[in-house]
Amino acid sequence: MDDTIAAIATSVGQSAIGIIKISGPSALSIAQKLFRSRKNKNILSVPSHTLHYGFIVNPKNGQKIDEVLLAVMRGPHTYTREDVVEINCHGGRIPLYKTLDLVLEAGARLAEPGEFTKRAFLNGRVDLTQAEAVIDLITAQSEQALHLLVNTVEGNTFKPIYALQKEVEDWQARIEAELNFPQDLSWSFQPQELLAHLDQWTKLVDTYLNSYESSKFLIEGMKLVIAGKANVGKSSLMNQILQKERSIITSIPGTTTDVIEDSLYLKGILVRIMDTAGFGKVKNEIEREGIRRSQQIISQADLILLVFDGSQPLDEHDLLVMDLVRGQQKKVLLLVNKSDLDIRIKTESLIEFFGSSTPLISVSALTGEGICDITRIIADRYLDDQPANLGLAINLRQKGILAEIRQSLTALGELIRDGQPDDQVAEEFRLLSRLIRQLRGDLWSEDLIDQIFEKFCIGK
Ligand SMILES: Nc1nc2c(ncn2[C@@H]2O[C@H](COP(=O)(O)OP(=O)(O)OP(=O)(O)O)[C@@H](O)[C@H]2O)c(=O)[nH]1
Ligand SMILES: [Mg+2]
């Protein structure tokens, strides 16, 4: 980290301004080489956190490149804790890239994706969960997600878990002391006391784990896939839900050959809805590829709307999709379409196949009957407000570690109930405290850090 990095921090197109960010020990001296202040100020000696008007000038030939405002911020009170200069250029491709070129020629290195935030982490300004929340904040898909993530960026979301670490370490010390001086074959404290703590800790961790899915929807949106046999009315339902003519509908089976995507907001959450090619007798290469794509999209769904034609008994193609969907172990909403016609499907066999907790709605894409029920059930059953109310947003990495913490707590409970003070209990406590440190990023590996930060955009 002894080199100086630079990147364009805003998206490049046509905009009022565009910002080039420079961070590192030479940030100020690089700026000094390129910047001509109107009042002939020396950037190396201006006070920190000040803004200066002037021009970026090519030092080789004195040519003016752009009219800019230059922000000078000396470490450690900066995003990276290093010296930072931000050049506010005009927001076109040419002024931005030309200025960046000069910055690089003057001694900076082009930053990797996420490298500014990585430095903020490595320099101890933020912990890993805060850094991760920065990525999610940039891509967040709902206003609720924004509130949750700002909370994490500020460092509040995991405070209760970090507080738990202190308690865990106190107990660990106490237990290790007992093992070092075993006067007795039983604990010097009441096991009930520790069990009560374990219970409390488990409840806390469960609150986080239970928030994972809904907070994921808030941050990334929900992927809703409409699947089923050919000609059952998938595209008609897609259009009804969206209230627009998005997919092509015909009476010919195999009309939809590719995945058609659109989106809508339910409870302020982005729902990405995907219409797929129906399963049936494959007549050509196009349909075969369509079905392959349907299978692929089904495997990525958060919720599958599985559509049947209510006017026909189930046939082998329905069964094929049913098997495929059940095998995925995904959330499913069963839609029996064409309720305006005579119903010949046996809905009992569907319920038997998917279990009675899987919701089933009778709908008609032709008359619009039941369409409101689809969106209501999705909103009520799958998009709950819990994480927003609790202020919790957790990502997949954090969920993985929290699940391990949960397991470790269960294992500890069992060991304590078994009674004897032994080394295993101490070992489990050590594991617990290690896991919490991993969560916060006190323990990390190069690979993990690379994996996390490469998801960032350049300039962040
Ligand atoms: N009576 C009636 N007909 C419907 C209903 N929904 C769809 N249809 C008709 O069923 C046929 C197929 O509809 P689509 O929406 O194209 O069906 P699909 O499942 O997308 O078909 P593929 O794309 O071929 O897999 C069309 O003729 C629709 O008009 C309904 O609720 N009632
Ligand atoms: Mg279709």
Side-chain angles (χ1 to χ4, degrees):
M1 287 197 295
D2 41 14
D3 56 355
T4 297
I5 53 173
I8 299 173
T10 47
S11 65
V12 182
Q14 287 179 5
S15 58
I17 58 162
I19 299 177
I20 289 168
K21 198 150 82 172
I22 315 172
S23 175
S26 322
L28 270 62
S29 60
I30 290 172
Q32 173 62 20
K33 282 187 208 163
L34 308 176
F35 180 69
R36 294 294 163 269
S37 124
R38 266 281 277 281
K39 295 181 181 159
N40 253 334
K41 286 182 211 163
N42 182 344
I43 289 306
L44 297 172
S45 53
V46 297
S48 184
H49 291 76
T50 51
L51 202 59
H52 307 276
Y53 173 73
F55 284 85
I56 292 295
V57 171
N58 186 339
K60 281 191 200 133
N61 54 20
Q63 193 178 35
K64 282 188 179 148
I65 302 300
D66 196 8
E67 179 194 32
V68 301
L69 276 176
L70 196 89
V72 176
M73 294 166 275
R74 288 200 177 77
H77 299 293
T78 60
Y79 188 74
T80 53
R81 288 239 159 124
E82 304 172 330
D83 286 351
V84 171
V85 171
E86 287 180 2
I87 310 175
N88 292 252
C89 301
H90 289 111
R93 297 180 64 83
I94 307 297
L96 277 172
Y97 279 114
K98 186 66 205 168
T99 306
L100 179 64
D101 273 350
L102 292 178
V103 169
L104 299 180
E105 275 170 30
R109 164 173 72 70
L110 187 63
E112 288 162 18
E115 200 172 357
F116 292 93
T117 311
K118 184 174 172 179
R119 288 187 171 198
F121 166 69
L122 294 174
N123 289 326
R125 194 184 68 81
V126 294
D127 69 37
L128 200 51
T129 60
Q130 289 174 295
E132 285 171 311
V134 172
I135 326 177
D136 288 335
L137 193 69
I138 291 170
T139 55
Q141 295 292 353
S142 72
E143 198 178 321
Q144 289 112 302
L146 190 72
H147 301 315
L148 296 181
L149 293 164
V150 166
N151 200 34
T152 313
V153 168
E154 235 189 318
N156 296 328
T157 301
F158 291 96
K159 262 189 193 154
I161 300 277
Y162 300 155
L164 192 150
Q165 179 169 20
K166 173 83 182 70
E167 290 186 56
V168 165
E169 281 172 1
D170 288 348
W171 275 98
Q172 183 188 332
R174 205 164 149 183
I175 281 161
E176 280 172 359
E178 296 219 4
L179 291 174
N180 289 337
F181 304 101
Q183 292 103 348
D184 212 319
L185 278 178
S186 63
W187 299 111
S188 65
F189 54 85
Q190 287 294 321
Q192 290 310 330
E193 190 194 340
L194 181 51
L195 286 172
H197 280 291
L198 288 179
D199 204 40
Q200 239 180 357
W201 300 344
T202 306
K203 283 203 184 98
L204 176 71
V205 173
D206 280 346
T207 323
Y208 283 80
L209 287 172
N210 294 337
S211 304
Y212 168 70
E213 183 139 299
S214 324
S215 68
K216 179 176 153 236
F217 291 161
L218 290 175
I219 296 166
E220 298 172 11
M222 178 198 227
K223 237 184 202 180
L224 191 75
V225 173
I226 308 182
K229 189 177 68 173
N231 223 33
V232 293
K234 297 179 296 302
S235 302
S236 308
L237 285 167
M238 162 100 157
N239 291 354
Q240 277 282 5
I241 294 170
L242 291 168
Q243 291 289 303
K244 66 179 176 194
E245 297 302 310
R246 180 69 178 84
S247 280
I248 299 175
I249 301 168
T250 74
S251 57
I252 306 164
T255 301
T256 309
T257 50
D258 206 345
V259 178
I260 310 282
E261 179 172 345
D262 212 308
S263 60
L264 73 159
Y265 278 90
L266 289 179
K267 280 194 171 177
I269 292 172
L270 175 81
V271 177
R272 295 171 57 195
I273 171 165
M274 289 165 218
D275 180 22
T276 59
F279 290 74
K281 224 185 236 146
V282 176
K283 296 183 290 294
N284 55 44
E285 269 304 295
I286 305 174
E287 291 189 358
R288 180 166 299 118
E289 175 59 16
I291 288 176
R292 194 191 65 77
R293 290 185 184 199
S294 297
Q295 286 170 328
Q296 190 187 13
I297 288 292
I298 287 171
S299 73
Q300 297 164 4
D302 294 311
L303 174 65
I304 299 168
L305 300 191
L306 188 51
V307 186
F308 298 91
D309 180 343
S311 70
Q312 293 175 1
L314 292 173
D315 68 14
E316 82 261 28
H317 298 301
D318 289 307
L319 292 172
L320 188 92
V321 196
M322 285 161 67
D323 262 336
L324 175 81
V325 167
R326 190 171 64 177
Q328 296 280 330
Q329 299 185 318
K330 302 255 176 189
K331 297 204 173 76
V332 182
L333 175 54
L334 302 169
L335 300 180
V336 175
N337 190 33
K338 309 199 184 180
S339 64
D340 53 290
L341 302 176
D342 283 344
I343 294 302
R344 295 175 54 209
I345 196 171
K346 281 209 183 91
T347 49
E348 314 85 73
S349 9
L350 290 177
I351 292 171
E352 199 180 310
F353 191 87
F354 286 101
S356 55
S357 60
T358 306
L360 181 147
I361 323 177
S362 164
V363 295
S364 168
L366 190 72
T367 65
E369 189 212 324
I371 301 296
C372 295
D373 296 333
I374 302 178
T375 46
R376 188 179 46 76
I377 289 195
I378 295 171
D380 292 350
R381 280 181 80 122
Y382 305 107
L383 306 176
D384 71 51
D385 297 327
Q386 197 212 10
N389 296 338
L390 295 171
L392 296 180
I394 63 171
N395 67 23
L396 194 61
R397 181 191 75 91
Q398 295 155 1
K399 180 194 166 210
I401 296 181
L402 287 161
E404 284 186 68
I405 292 177
R406 177 72 169 78
Q407 269 176 13
S408 168
L409 288 169
T410 312
L412 257 176
E414 281 163 17
L415 290 171
I416 302 290
R417 273 187 208 92
D418 279 354
Q420 297 247 339
D422 66 19
D423 227 18
Q424 252 180 301
V425 176
E427 183 50 41
E428 205 60 49
F429 263 107
R430 279 191 286 272
L431 172 67
L432 204 51
S433 121
R434 201 159 57 231
L435 286 169
I436 301 173
R437 277 184 286 147
Q438 266 174 25
L439 180 70
R440 182 161 48 199
D442 300 347
L443 291 176
W444 51 272
S445 67
E446 204 74 48
D447 280 355
L448 171 75
I449 294 301
D450 287 348
Q451 242 177 51
I452 290 176
F453 287 98
E454 73 197 8
K455 282 190 264 164
F456 275 67
C457 45
I458 289 193
K460 189 66 218 175

